[in-house]
Amino acid sequence: MVGIVVNRIYVSIMQLTSYTDYSLRALLYIAKNQDRLVTVSEITEHYGVSRNHMVKVVHNLGMHGFIQTVRGKSGGMRMAKKPEDIFIADVVRLTEPHMNIQECFSRETNTCPLIDNCHLMGVLYKARRAFMKVLEEQSLADML
């Protein structure tokens, strides 16, 4: 979670992690090149992102059945599922650690003194549900 200061008040801004961003980018690139195997180097060069991070991302995507990996000199990756069967929400749920848009979403780490009498938390939960509902309606195929 990141934030900005507005009128001397710190305001949280919901932001997906770069891990989620890289995961979606990798899936989009692989899906756009379904006629062949795609390499990690190719994806990182195309997007200008860290190879080390992308290696972790594609490993995770492979472990969860989104892509298939082929080892060896002429190896690479390809889609394991059809793009229309991969929903953006599924990728976000896999890659985001908790989706806590405010500290009060986690009772373990919350320090807000208003937690037991706060009406804002319910609104923020509702907003998070609405955000995920939109992502549940969008498949990878819709992004191609």
Side-chain angles (χ1 to χ4, degrees):
M1 184 72 61
V2 296
I4 59 172
V5 176
V6 178
N7 295 330
R8 294 181 294 181
I9 299 172
Y10 181 80
V11 180
S12 296
I13 299 174
M14 185 173 164
Q15 182 175 359
L16 298 175
T17 61
S18 59
Y19 193 83
T20 299
D21 179 35
Y22 287 9
S23 297
L24 292 168
R25 288 185 198 208
L27 288 171
L28 285 168
Y29 191 89
I30 297 165
K32 285 181 180 179
N33 293 283
Q34 291 188 65
D35 57 327
R36 61 187 179 80
L37 291 175
V38 172
T39 66
V40 170
S41 295
E42 213 180 311
I43 297 171
T44 59
E45 287 174 26
H46 181 77
Y47 291 120
V49 298
S50 163
R51 182 173 175 30
N52 289 338
H53 288 176
M54 191 58 73
V55 167
K56 294 173 190 173
V57 163
V58 298
H59 176 73
N60 191 41
L61 292 172
M63 294 287 294
H64 288 90
F66 290 102
I67 62 172
Q68 293 176 336
T69 57
V70 177
R71 292 178 163 236
K73 185 177 179 179
S74 52
M77 301 160 286
R78 65 174 151 250
M79 298 302 297
K81 295 180 178 182
K82 295 178 185 172
E84 55 269 19
D85 294 333
I86 297 174
F87 289 87
I88 304 304
D90 295 333
V91 179
V92 170
R93 282 189 193 100
L94 171 68
T95 57
E96 286 299 316
H98 49 63
M99 292 292 292
N100 291 342
I101 60 175
Q102 277 293 71
E103 72 165 322
C104 59
F105 279 37
S106 172
R107 287 211 176 257
E108 296 81 35
T109 59
N110 179 50
T111 60
C112 179
L114 304 175
I115 187 74
D116 294 322
N117 194 23
C118 179
H119 303 287
L120 181 60
M121 189 166 64
V123 172
L124 294 174
Y125 272 117
K126 188 176 178 180
R128 182 176 67 180
R129 280 194 306 273
F131 175 76
M132 291 306 293
K133 185 178 184 321
V134 170
L135 299 183
E136 288 165 357
E137 296 169 353
Q138 302 298 308
S139 74
L140 190 62
D142 297 326
M143 306 296 118
L144 298 176

PDB file of all heavy atoms in Angstrom, residues 50-88:
ATOM      1  N   SER A  50      12.751  -6.554 -14.931  1.00  0.00           N
ATOM      2  CA  SER A  50      13.799  -7.380 -14.346  1.00  0.00           C
ATOM      3  C   SER A  50      13.638  -8.856 -14.723  1.00  0.00           C
ATOM      4  O   SER A  50      12.577  -9.443 -14.542  1.00  0.00           O
ATOM      5  CB  SER A  50      13.751  -7.242 -12.817  1.00  0.00           C
ATOM      6  OG  SER A  50      14.453  -8.281 -12.191  1.00  0.00           O
ATOM      7  N   ARG A  51      14.721  -9.427 -15.227  1.00  0.00           N
ATOM      8  CA  ARG A  51      14.712 -10.850 -15.573  1.00  0.00           C
ATOM      9  C   ARG A  51      14.528 -11.707 -14.322  1.00  0.00           C
ATOM     10  O   ARG A  51      13.790 -12.694 -14.343  1.00  0.00           O
ATOM     11  CB  ARG A  51      16.014 -11.229 -16.277  1.00  0.00           C
ATOM     12  CG  ARG A  51      16.065 -12.697 -16.704  1.00  0.00           C
ATOM     13  CD  ARG A  51      17.282 -12.997 -17.554  1.00  0.00           C
ATOM     14  NE  ARG A  51      17.575 -14.314 -17.961  1.00  0.00           N
ATOM     15  CZ  ARG A  51      16.779 -15.340 -18.202  1.00  0.00           C
ATOM     16  NH1 ARG A  51      15.510 -15.232 -18.040  1.00  0.00           N
ATOM     17  NH2 ARG A  51      17.222 -16.514 -18.601  1.00  0.00           N
ATOM     18  N   ASN A  52      15.202 -11.347 -13.229  1.00  0.00           N
ATOM     19  CA  ASN A  52      15.085 -12.132 -11.992  1.00  0.00           C
ATOM     20  C   ASN A  52      13.639 -12.191 -11.503  1.00  0.00           C
ATOM     21  O   ASN A  52      13.157 -13.251 -11.099  1.00  0.00           O
ATOM     22  CB  ASN A  52      15.973 -11.548 -10.888  1.00  0.00           C
ATOM     23  CG  ASN A  52      17.437 -11.776 -11.169  1.00  0.00           C
ATOM     24  OD1 ASN A  52      17.808 -12.669 -11.916  1.00  0.00           O
ATOM     25  ND2 ASN A  52      18.278 -10.965 -10.567  1.00  0.00           N
ATOM     26  N   HIS A  53      12.960 -11.059 -11.531  1.00  0.00           N
ATOM     27  CA  HIS A  53      11.561 -11.043 -11.106  1.00  0.00           C
ATOM     28  C   HIS A  53      10.686 -11.859 -12.053  1.00  0.00           C
ATOM     29  O   HIS A  53       9.802 -12.592 -11.625  1.00  0.00           O
ATOM     30  CB  HIS A  53      11.040  -9.617 -11.018  1.00  0.00           C
ATOM     31  CG  HIS A  53      11.602  -8.854  -9.870  1.00  0.00           C
ATOM     32  ND1 HIS A  53      11.324  -7.528  -9.647  1.00  0.00           N
ATOM     33  CD2 HIS A  53      12.434  -9.214  -8.865  1.00  0.00           C
ATOM     34  CE1 HIS A  53      11.960  -7.117  -8.568  1.00  0.00           C
ATOM     35  NE2 HIS A  53      12.655  -8.126  -8.090  1.00  0.00           N
ATOM     36  N   MET A  54      10.949 -11.721 -13.353  1.00  0.00           N
ATOM     37  CA  MET A  54      10.130 -12.430 -14.337  1.00  0.00           C
ATOM     38  C   MET A  54      10.311 -13.939 -14.229  1.00  0.00           C
ATOM     39  O   MET A  54       9.370 -14.697 -14.424  1.00  0.00           O
ATOM     40  CB  MET A  54      10.440 -11.936 -15.753  1.00  0.00           C
ATOM     41  CG  MET A  54       9.456 -12.438 -16.792  1.00  0.00           C
ATOM     42  SD  MET A  54       7.715 -12.022 -16.490  1.00  0.00           S
ATOM     43  CE  MET A  54       7.702 -10.277 -16.854  1.00  0.00           C
ATOM     44  N   VAL A  55      11.505 -14.394 -13.895  1.00  0.00           N
ATOM     45  CA  VAL A  55      11.738 -15.834 -13.702  1.00  0.00           C
ATOM     46  C   VAL A  55      10.840 -16.353 -12.572  1.00  0.00           C
ATOM     47  O   VAL A  55      10.209 -17.406 -12.697  1.00  0.00           O
ATOM     48  CB  VAL A  55      13.227 -16.122 -13.410  1.00  0.00           C
ATOM     49  CG1 VAL A  55      13.433 -17.538 -12.890  1.00  0.00           C
ATOM     50  CG2 VAL A  55      14.067 -15.883 -14.661  1.00  0.00           C
ATOM     51  N   LYS A  56      10.759 -15.606 -11.487  1.00  0.00           N
ATOM     52  CA  LYS A  56       9.893 -15.994 -10.360  1.00  0.00           C
ATOM     53  C   LYS A  56       8.432 -15.983 -10.767  1.00  0.00           C
ATOM     54  O   LYS A  56       7.659 -16.873 -10.398  1.00  0.00           O
ATOM     55  CB  LYS A  56      10.110 -15.052  -9.172  1.00  0.00           C
ATOM     56  CG  LYS A  56      11.487 -15.155  -8.561  1.00  0.00           C
ATOM     57  CD  LYS A  56      11.699 -14.091  -7.500  1.00  0.00           C
ATOM     58  CE  LYS A  56      13.159 -14.048  -7.065  1.00  0.00           C
ATOM     59  NZ  LYS A  56      13.431 -12.927  -6.166  1.00  0.00           N
ATOM     60  N   VAL A  57       8.048 -14.980 -11.535  1.00  0.00           N
ATOM     61  CA  VAL A  57       6.664 -14.850 -11.991  1.00  0.00           C
ATOM     62  C   VAL A  57       6.261 -16.039 -12.856  1.00  0.00           C
ATOM     63  O   VAL A  57       5.231 -16.665 -12.617  1.00  0.00           O
ATOM     64  CB  VAL A  57       6.476 -13.520 -12.767  1.00  0.00           C
ATOM     65  CG1 VAL A  57       5.209 -13.533 -13.598  1.00  0.00           C
ATOM     66  CG2 VAL A  57       6.478 -12.350 -11.805  1.00  0.00           C
ATOM     67  N   VAL A  58       7.067 -16.365 -13.869  1.00  0.00           N
ATOM     68  CA  VAL A  58       6.684 -17.454 -14.772  1.00  0.00           C
ATOM     69  C   VAL A  58       6.732 -18.806 -14.053  1.00  0.00           C
ATOM     70  O   VAL A  58       5.932 -19.699 -14.348  1.00  0.00           O
ATOM     71  CB  VAL A  58       7.502 -17.472 -16.079  1.00  0.00           C
ATOM     72  CG1 VAL A  58       7.274 -16.196 -16.869  1.00  0.00           C
ATOM     73  CG2 VAL A  58       8.967 -17.704 -15.850  1.00  0.00           C
ATOM     74  N   HIS A  59       7.620 -18.940 -13.096  1.00  0.00           N
ATOM     75  CA  HIS A  59       7.637 -20.171 -12.300  1.00  0.00           C
ATOM     76  C   HIS A  59       6.301 -20.321 -11.562  1.00  0.00           C
ATOM     77  O   HIS A  59       5.689 -21.395 -11.584  1.00  0.00           O
ATOM     78  CB  HIS A  59       8.803 -20.147 -11.309  1.00  0.00           C
ATOM     79  CG  HIS A  59       8.823 -21.329 -10.400  1.00  0.00           C
ATOM     80  ND1 HIS A  59       9.183 -22.590 -10.825  1.00  0.00           N
ATOM     81  CD2 HIS A  59       8.486 -21.448  -9.084  1.00  0.00           C
ATOM     82  CE1 HIS A  59       9.076 -23.439  -9.810  1.00  0.00           C
ATOM     83  NE2 HIS A  59       8.657 -22.763  -8.750  1.00  0.00           N
ATOM     84  N   ASN A  60       5.856 -19.256 -10.941  1.00  0.00           N
ATOM     85  CA  ASN A  60       4.587 -19.272 -10.215  1.00  0.00           C
ATOM     86  C   ASN A  60       3.407 -19.533 -11.151  1.00  0.00           C
ATOM     87  O   ASN A  60       2.502 -20.318 -10.828  1.00  0.00           O
ATOM     88  CB  ASN A  60       4.391 -17.945  -9.472  1.00  0.00           C
ATOM     89  CG  ASN A  60       3.241 -17.978  -8.505  1.00  0.00           C
ATOM     90  OD1 ASN A  60       3.018 -18.954  -7.795  1.00  0.00           O
ATOM     91  ND2 ASN A  60       2.497 -16.895  -8.468  1.00  0.00           N
ATOM     92  N   LEU A  61       3.405 -18.889 -12.304  1.00  0.00           N
ATOM     93  CA  LEU A  61       2.319 -19.105 -13.270  1.00  0.00           C
ATOM     94  C   LEU A  61       2.298 -20.552 -13.756  1.00  0.00           C
ATOM     95  O   LEU A  61       1.226 -21.130 -13.952  1.00  0.00           O
ATOM     96  CB  LEU A  61       2.461 -18.141 -14.457  1.00  0.00           C
ATOM     97  CG  LEU A  61       2.239 -16.664 -14.159  1.00  0.00           C
ATOM     98  CD1 LEU A  61       2.608 -15.805 -15.375  1.00  0.00           C
ATOM     99  CD2 LEU A  61       0.799 -16.408 -13.716  1.00  0.00           C
ATOM    100  N   GLY A  62       3.474 -21.136 -13.937  1.00  0.00           N
ATOM    101  CA  GLY A  62       3.556 -22.538 -14.332  1.00  0.00           C
ATOM    102  C   GLY A  62       3.083 -23.477 -13.232  1.00  0.00           C
ATOM    103  O   GLY A  62       2.352 -24.432 -13.478  1.00  0.00           O
ATOM    104  N   MET A  63       3.485 -23.179 -11.985  1.00  0.00           N
ATOM    105  CA  MET A  63       3.083 -24.013 -10.840  1.00  0.00           C
ATOM    106  C   MET A  63       1.563 -24.017 -10.649  1.00  0.00           C
ATOM    107  O   MET A  63       1.001 -24.989 -10.160  1.00  0.00           O
ATOM    108  CB  MET A  63       3.743 -23.511  -9.546  1.00  0.00           C
ATOM    109  CG  MET A  63       5.239 -23.653  -9.504  1.00  0.00           C
ATOM    110  SD  MET A  63       5.772 -25.350  -9.282  1.00  0.00           S
ATOM    111  CE  MET A  63       5.151 -25.660  -7.649  1.00  0.00           C
ATOM    112  N   HIS A  64       0.910 -22.932 -11.052  1.00  0.00           N
ATOM    113  CA  HIS A  64      -0.537 -22.826 -10.867  1.00  0.00           C
ATOM    114  C   HIS A  64      -1.329 -23.107 -12.143  1.00  0.00           C
ATOM    115  O   HIS A  64      -2.532 -22.846 -12.198  1.00  0.00           O
ATOM    116  CB  HIS A  64      -0.888 -21.456 -10.285  1.00  0.00           C
ATOM    117  CG  HIS A  64      -0.473 -21.351  -8.855  1.00  0.00           C
ATOM    118  ND1 HIS A  64       0.771 -20.893  -8.464  1.00  0.00           N
ATOM    119  CD2 HIS A  64      -1.120 -21.701  -7.724  1.00  0.00           C
ATOM    120  CE1 HIS A  64       0.859 -20.950  -7.160  1.00  0.00           C
ATOM    121  NE2 HIS A  64      -0.268 -21.439  -6.679  1.00  0.00           N
ATOM    122  N   GLY A  65      -0.659 -23.642 -13.150  1.00  0.00           N
ATOM    123  CA  GLY A  65      -1.356 -24.136 -14.330  1.00  0.00           C
ATOM    124  C   GLY A  65      -1.801 -23.110 -15.353  1.00  0.00           C
ATOM    125  O   GLY A  65      -2.588 -23.433 -16.244  1.00  0.00           O
ATOM    126  N   PHE A  66      -1.302 -21.898 -15.271  1.00  0.00           N
ATOM    127  CA  PHE A  66      -1.654 -20.900 -16.275  1.00  0.00           C
ATOM    128  C   PHE A  66      -0.828 -21.083 -17.552  1.00  0.00           C
ATOM    129  O   PHE A  66      -1.322 -20.863 -18.646  1.00  0.00           O
ATOM    130  CB  PHE A  66      -1.430 -19.477 -15.738  1.00  0.00           C
ATOM    131  CG  PHE A  66      -2.413 -19.075 -14.680  1.00  0.00           C
ATOM    132  CD1 PHE A  66      -2.062 -19.082 -13.340  1.00  0.00           C
ATOM    133  CD2 PHE A  66      -3.702 -18.681 -15.017  1.00  0.00           C
ATOM    134  CE1 PHE A  66      -2.962 -18.702 -12.362  1.00  0.00           C
ATOM    135  CE2 PHE A  66      -4.612 -18.306 -14.050  1.00  0.00           C
ATOM    136  CZ  PHE A  66      -4.245 -18.320 -12.715  1.00  0.00           C
ATOM    137  N   ILE A  67       0.445 -21.459 -17.368  1.00  0.00           N
ATOM    138  CA  ILE A  67       1.326 -21.668 -18.517  1.00  0.00           C
ATOM    139  C   ILE A  67       2.042 -23.007 -18.372  1.00  0.00           C
ATOM    140  O   ILE A  67       2.117 -23.570 -17.284  1.00  0.00           O
ATOM    141  CB  ILE A  67       2.373 -20.531 -18.658  1.00  0.00           C
ATOM    142  CG1 ILE A  67       3.282 -20.476 -17.426  1.00  0.00           C
ATOM    143  CG2 ILE A  67       1.707 -19.197 -18.939  1.00  0.00           C
ATOM    144  CD1 ILE A  67       4.462 -19.508 -17.563  1.00  0.00           C
ATOM    145  N   GLN A  68       2.551 -23.495 -19.492  1.00  0.00           N
ATOM    146  CA  GLN A  68       3.398 -24.686 -19.506  1.00  0.00           C
ATOM    147  C   GLN A  68       4.808 -24.231 -19.844  1.00  0.00           C
ATOM    148  O   GLN A  68       4.994 -23.357 -20.696  1.00  0.00           O
ATOM    149  CB  GLN A  68       2.935 -25.677 -20.572  1.00  0.00           C
ATOM    150  CG  GLN A  68       1.600 -26.287 -20.316  1.00  0.00           C
ATOM    151  CD  GLN A  68       1.160 -27.181 -21.477  1.00  0.00           C
ATOM    152  OE1 GLN A  68       1.597 -27.010 -22.610  1.00  0.00           O
ATOM    153  NE2 GLN A  68       0.295 -28.119 -21.179  1.00  0.00           N
ATOM    154  N   THR A  69       5.769 -24.827 -19.178  1.00  0.00           N
ATOM    155  CA  THR A  69       7.159 -24.497 -19.472  1.00  0.00           C
ATOM    156  C   THR A  69       7.835 -25.703 -20.092  1.00  0.00           C
ATOM    157  O   THR A  69       7.577 -26.839 -19.707  1.00  0.00           O
ATOM    158  CB  THR A  69       7.908 -24.063 -18.197  1.00  0.00           C
ATOM    159  OG1 THR A  69       7.816 -25.095 -17.227  1.00  0.00           O
ATOM    160  CG2 THR A  69       7.314 -22.779 -17.630  1.00  0.00           C
ATOM    161  N   VAL A  70       8.699 -25.414 -21.059  1.00  0.00           N
ATOM    162  CA  VAL A  70       9.460 -26.456 -21.750  1.00  0.00           C
ATOM    163  C   VAL A  70      10.931 -26.159 -21.516  1.00  0.00           C
ATOM    164  O   VAL A  70      11.410 -25.079 -21.876  1.00  0.00           O
ATOM    165  CB  VAL A  70       9.145 -26.470 -23.265  1.00  0.00           C
ATOM    166  CG1 VAL A  70       9.990 -27.517 -23.980  1.00  0.00           C
ATOM    167  CG2 VAL A  70       7.659 -26.694 -23.506  1.00  0.00           C
ATOM    168  N   ARG A  71      11.633 -27.085 -20.892  1.00  0.00           N
ATOM    169  CA  ARG A  71      13.053 -26.886 -20.586  1.00  0.00           C
ATOM    170  C   ARG A  71      13.927 -27.212 -21.784  1.00  0.00           C
ATOM    171  O   ARG A  71      13.504 -27.871 -22.712  1.00  0.00           O
ATOM    172  CB  ARG A  71      13.459 -27.775 -19.409  1.00  0.00           C
ATOM    173  CG  ARG A  71      12.811 -27.357 -18.130  1.00  0.00           C
ATOM    174  CD  ARG A  71      13.207 -28.305 -17.009  1.00  0.00           C
ATOM    175  NE  ARG A  71      12.916 -27.683 -15.745  1.00  0.00           N
ATOM    176  CZ  ARG A  71      13.795 -27.478 -14.783  1.00  0.00           C
ATOM    177  NH1 ARG A  71      15.033 -27.879 -14.905  1.00  0.00           N
ATOM    178  NH2 ARG A  71      13.447 -26.874 -13.676  1.00  0.00           N
ATOM    179  N   GLY A  72      15.144 -26.759 -21.707  1.00  0.00           N
ATOM    180  CA  GLY A  72      16.112 -27.113 -22.744  1.00  0.00           C
ATOM    181  C   GLY A  72      16.506 -25.933 -23.607  1.00  0.00           C
ATOM    182  O   GLY A  72      15.971 -24.827 -23.482  1.00  0.00           O
ATOM    183  N   LYS A  73      17.440 -26.213 -24.504  1.00  0.00           N
ATOM    184  CA  LYS A  73      18.009 -25.171 -25.357  1.00  0.00           C
ATOM    185  C   LYS A  73      16.943 -24.451 -26.190  1.00  0.00           C
ATOM    186  O   LYS A  73      16.986 -23.250 -26.359  1.00  0.00           O
ATOM    187  CB  LYS A  73      19.073 -25.777 -26.281  1.00  0.00           C
ATOM    188  CG  LYS A  73      19.788 -24.765 -27.116  1.00  0.00           C
ATOM    189  CD  LYS A  73      20.873 -25.398 -27.942  1.00  0.00           C
ATOM    190  CE  LYS A  73      21.544 -24.346 -28.799  1.00  0.00           C
ATOM    191  NZ  LYS A  73      22.615 -24.872 -29.606  1.00  0.00           N
ATOM    192  N   SER A  74      15.998 -25.177 -26.711  1.00  0.00           N
ATOM    193  CA  SER A  74      14.936 -24.551 -27.512  1.00  0.00           C
ATOM    194  C   SER A  74      13.624 -24.509 -26.735  1.00  0.00           C
ATOM    195  O   SER A  74      12.549 -24.554 -27.304  1.00  0.00           O
ATOM    196  CB  SER A  74      14.778 -25.277 -28.844  1.00  0.00           C
ATOM    197  OG  SER A  74      14.611 -26.665 -28.622  1.00  0.00           O
ATOM    198  N   GLY A  75      13.736 -24.394 -25.412  1.00  0.00           N
ATOM    199  CA  GLY A  75      12.555 -24.360 -24.551  1.00  0.00           C
ATOM    200  C   GLY A  75      11.920 -22.987 -24.497  1.00  0.00           C
ATOM    201  O   GLY A  75      12.333 -22.047 -25.166  1.00  0.00           O
ATOM    202  N   GLY A  76      10.914 -22.911 -23.676  1.00  0.00           N
ATOM    203  CA  GLY A  76      10.194 -21.656 -23.509  1.00  0.00           C
ATOM    204  C   GLY A  76       8.877 -21.912 -22.794  1.00  0.00           C
ATOM    205  O   GLY A  76       8.733 -22.896 -22.069  1.00  0.00           O
ATOM    206  N   MET A  77       7.930 -21.047 -23.029  1.00  0.00           N
ATOM    207  CA  MET A  77       6.628 -21.154 -22.373  1.00  0.00           C
ATOM    208  C   MET A  77       5.513 -21.017 -23.397  1.00  0.00           C
ATOM    209  O   MET A  77       5.681 -20.378 -24.429  1.00  0.00           O
ATOM    210  CB  MET A  77       6.466 -20.030 -21.348  1.00  0.00           C
ATOM    211  CG  MET A  77       7.508 -20.021 -20.280  1.00  0.00           C
ATOM    212  SD  MET A  77       7.594 -18.412 -19.488  1.00  0.00           S
ATOM    213  CE  MET A  77       8.404 -17.444 -20.739  1.00  0.00           C
ATOM    214  N   ARG A  78       4.374 -21.607 -23.029  1.00  0.00           N
ATOM    215  CA  ARG A  78       3.161 -21.459 -23.830  1.00  0.00           C
ATOM    216  C   ARG A  78       1.974 -21.502 -22.874  1.00  0.00           C
ATOM    217  O   ARG A  78       2.108 -21.908 -21.720  1.00  0.00           O
ATOM    218  CB  ARG A  78       3.060 -22.534 -24.896  1.00  0.00           C
ATOM    219  CG  ARG A  78       2.899 -23.934 -24.346  1.00  0.00           C
ATOM    220  CD  ARG A  78       2.653 -24.944 -25.490  1.00  0.00           C
ATOM    221  NE  ARG A  78       3.157 -26.240 -25.105  1.00  0.00           N
ATOM    222  CZ  ARG A  78       4.214 -26.837 -25.612  1.00  0.00           C
ATOM    223  NH1 ARG A  78       4.923 -26.255 -26.556  1.00  0.00           N
ATOM    224  NH2 ARG A  78       4.594 -28.019 -25.197  1.00  0.00           N
ATOM    225  N   MET A  79       0.849 -21.103 -23.368  1.00  0.00           N
ATOM    226  CA  MET A  79      -0.352 -21.100 -22.537  1.00  0.00           C
ATOM    227  C   MET A  79      -0.752 -22.533 -22.194  1.00  0.00           C
ATOM    228  O   MET A  79      -0.692 -23.420 -23.036  1.00  0.00           O
ATOM    229  CB  MET A  79      -1.514 -20.414 -23.267  1.00  0.00           C
ATOM    230  CG  MET A  79      -1.286 -18.955 -23.611  1.00  0.00           C
ATOM    231  SD  MET A  79      -0.939 -17.886 -22.205  1.00  0.00           S
ATOM    232  CE  MET A  79      -2.451 -18.005 -21.277  1.00  0.00           C
ATOM    233  N   ALA A  80      -1.157 -22.754 -20.952  1.00  0.00           N
ATOM    234  CA  ALA A  80      -1.674 -24.053 -20.529  1.00  0.00           C
ATOM    235  C   ALA A  80      -3.199 -24.045 -20.566  1.00  0.00           C
ATOM    236  O   ALA A  80      -3.829 -25.092 -20.597  1.00  0.00           O
ATOM    237  CB  ALA A  80      -1.191 -24.394 -19.120  1.00  0.00           C
ATOM    238  N   LYS A  81      -3.754 -22.843 -20.544  1.00  0.00           N
ATOM    239  CA  LYS A  81      -5.207 -22.660 -20.620  1.00  0.00           C
ATOM    240  C   LYS A  81      -5.505 -21.697 -21.758  1.00  0.00           C
ATOM    241  O   LYS A  81      -4.657 -20.903 -22.160  1.00  0.00           O
ATOM    242  CB  LYS A  81      -5.741 -22.023 -19.327  1.00  0.00           C
ATOM    243  CG  LYS A  81      -5.601 -22.850 -18.089  1.00  0.00           C
ATOM    244  CD  LYS A  81      -6.189 -22.068 -16.903  1.00  0.00           C
ATOM    245  CE  LYS A  81      -6.133 -22.871 -15.634  1.00  0.00           C
ATOM    246  NZ  LYS A  81      -6.739 -22.132 -14.506  1.00  0.00           N
ATOM    247  N   LYS A  82      -6.721 -21.743 -22.229  1.00  0.00           N
ATOM    248  CA  LYS A  82      -7.144 -20.776 -23.233  1.00  0.00           C
ATOM    249  C   LYS A  82      -7.278 -19.413 -22.560  1.00  0.00           C
ATOM    250  O   LYS A  82      -7.722 -19.322 -21.415  1.00  0.00           O
ATOM    251  CB  LYS A  82      -8.491 -21.180 -23.821  1.00  0.00           C
ATOM    252  CG  LYS A  82      -8.462 -22.473 -24.597  1.00  0.00           C
ATOM    253  CD  LYS A  82      -9.850 -22.808 -25.080  1.00  0.00           C
ATOM    254  CE  LYS A  82      -9.850 -24.167 -25.768  1.00  0.00           C
ATOM    255  NZ  LYS A  82     -11.214 -24.596 -26.088  1.00  0.00           N
ATOM    256  N   PRO A  83      -6.919 -18.331 -23.258  1.00  0.00           N
ATOM    257  CA  PRO A  83      -7.043 -16.998 -22.667  1.00  0.00           C
ATOM    258  C   PRO A  83      -8.455 -16.682 -22.155  1.00  0.00           C
ATOM    259  O   PRO A  83      -8.606 -15.990 -21.157  1.00  0.00           O
ATOM    260  CB  PRO A  83      -6.642 -16.063 -23.808  1.00  0.00           C
ATOM    261  CG  PRO A  83      -5.693 -16.886 -24.623  1.00  0.00           C
ATOM    262  CD  PRO A  83      -6.257 -18.289 -24.562  1.00  0.00           C
ATOM    263  N   GLU A  84      -9.461 -17.206 -22.817  1.00  0.00           N
ATOM    264  CA  GLU A  84     -10.830 -16.950 -22.358  1.00  0.00           C
ATOM    265  C   GLU A  84     -11.177 -17.685 -21.061  1.00  0.00           C
ATOM    266  O   GLU A  84     -12.178 -17.390 -20.414  1.00  0.00           O
ATOM    267  CB  GLU A  84     -11.867 -17.272 -23.452  1.00  0.00           C
ATOM    268  CG  GLU A  84     -11.795 -18.668 -24.004  1.00  0.00           C
ATOM    269  CD  GLU A  84     -10.877 -18.802 -25.226  1.00  0.00           C
ATOM    270  OE1 GLU A  84     -10.024 -17.927 -25.464  1.00  0.00           O
ATOM    271  OE2 GLU A  84     -11.017 -19.818 -25.922  1.00  0.00           O
ATOM    272  N   ASP A  85     -10.325 -18.631 -20.665  1.00  0.00           N
ATOM    273  CA  ASP A  85     -10.535 -19.366 -19.415  1.00  0.00           C
ATOM    274  C   ASP A  85      -9.717 -18.815 -18.248  1.00  0.00           C
ATOM    275  O   ASP A  85      -9.770 -19.355 -17.144  1.00  0.00           O
ATOM    276  CB  ASP A  85     -10.203 -20.850 -19.611  1.00  0.00           C
ATOM    277  CG  ASP A  85     -11.170 -21.528 -20.577  1.00  0.00           C
ATOM    278  OD1 ASP A  85     -12.324 -21.056 -20.684  1.00  0.00           O
ATOM    279  OD2 ASP A  85     -10.773 -22.519 -21.218  1.00  0.00           O
ATOM    280  N   ILE A  86      -8.965 -17.767 -18.506  1.00  0.00           N
ATOM    281  CA  ILE A  86      -8.157 -17.133 -17.448  1.00  0.00           C
ATOM    282  C   ILE A  86      -8.781 -15.777 -17.140  1.00  0.00           C
ATOM    283  O   ILE A  86      -8.831 -14.897 -18.007  1.00  0.00           O
ATOM    284  CB  ILE A  86      -6.691 -16.952 -17.889  1.00  0.00           C
ATOM    285  CG1 ILE A  86      -6.045 -18.316 -18.148  1.00  0.00           C
ATOM    286  CG2 ILE A  86      -5.910 -16.169 -16.839  1.00  0.00           C
ATOM    287  CD1 ILE A  86      -4.647 -18.233 -18.719  1.00  0.00           C
ATOM    288  N   PHE A  87      -9.259 -15.631 -15.927  1.00  0.00           N
ATOM    289  CA  PHE A  87      -9.867 -14.362 -15.525  1.00  0.00           C
ATOM    290  C   PHE A  87      -8.855 -13.531 -14.754  1.00  0.00           C
ATOM    291  O   PHE A  87      -8.083 -14.053 -13.946  1.00  0.00           O
ATOM    292  CB  PHE A  87     -11.148 -14.612 -14.732  1.00  0.00           C
ATOM    293  CG  PHE A  87     -12.242 -15.124 -15.622  1.00  0.00           C
ATOM    294  CD1 PHE A  87     -12.370 -16.481 -15.874  1.00  0.00           C
ATOM    295  CD2 PHE A  87     -13.090 -14.241 -16.268  1.00  0.00           C
ATOM    296  CE1 PHE A  87     -13.340 -16.958 -16.743  1.00  0.00           C
ATOM    297  CE2 PHE A  87     -14.059 -14.700 -17.139  1.00  0.00           C
ATOM    298  CZ  PHE A  87     -14.191 -16.059 -17.375  1.00  0.00           C
ATOM    299  N   ILE A  88      -8.859 -12.235 -15.016  1.00  0.00           N
ATOM    300  CA  ILE A  88      -7.898 -11.327 -14.397  1.00  0.00           C
ATOM    301  C   ILE A  88      -7.970 -11.438 -12.875  1.00  0.00           C
ATOM    302  O   ILE A  88      -6.940 -11.430 -12.201  1.00  0.00           O
ATOM    303  CB  ILE A  88      -8.144  -9.874 -14.872  1.00  0.00           C
ATOM    304  CG1 ILE A  88      -8.090  -9.779 -16.406  1.00  0.00           C
ATOM    305  CG2 ILE A  88      -7.151  -8.919 -14.224  1.00  0.00           C
ATOM    306  CD1 ILE A  88      -6.813 -10.274 -17.043  1.00  0.00           C
TER     307      ILE A  88
END
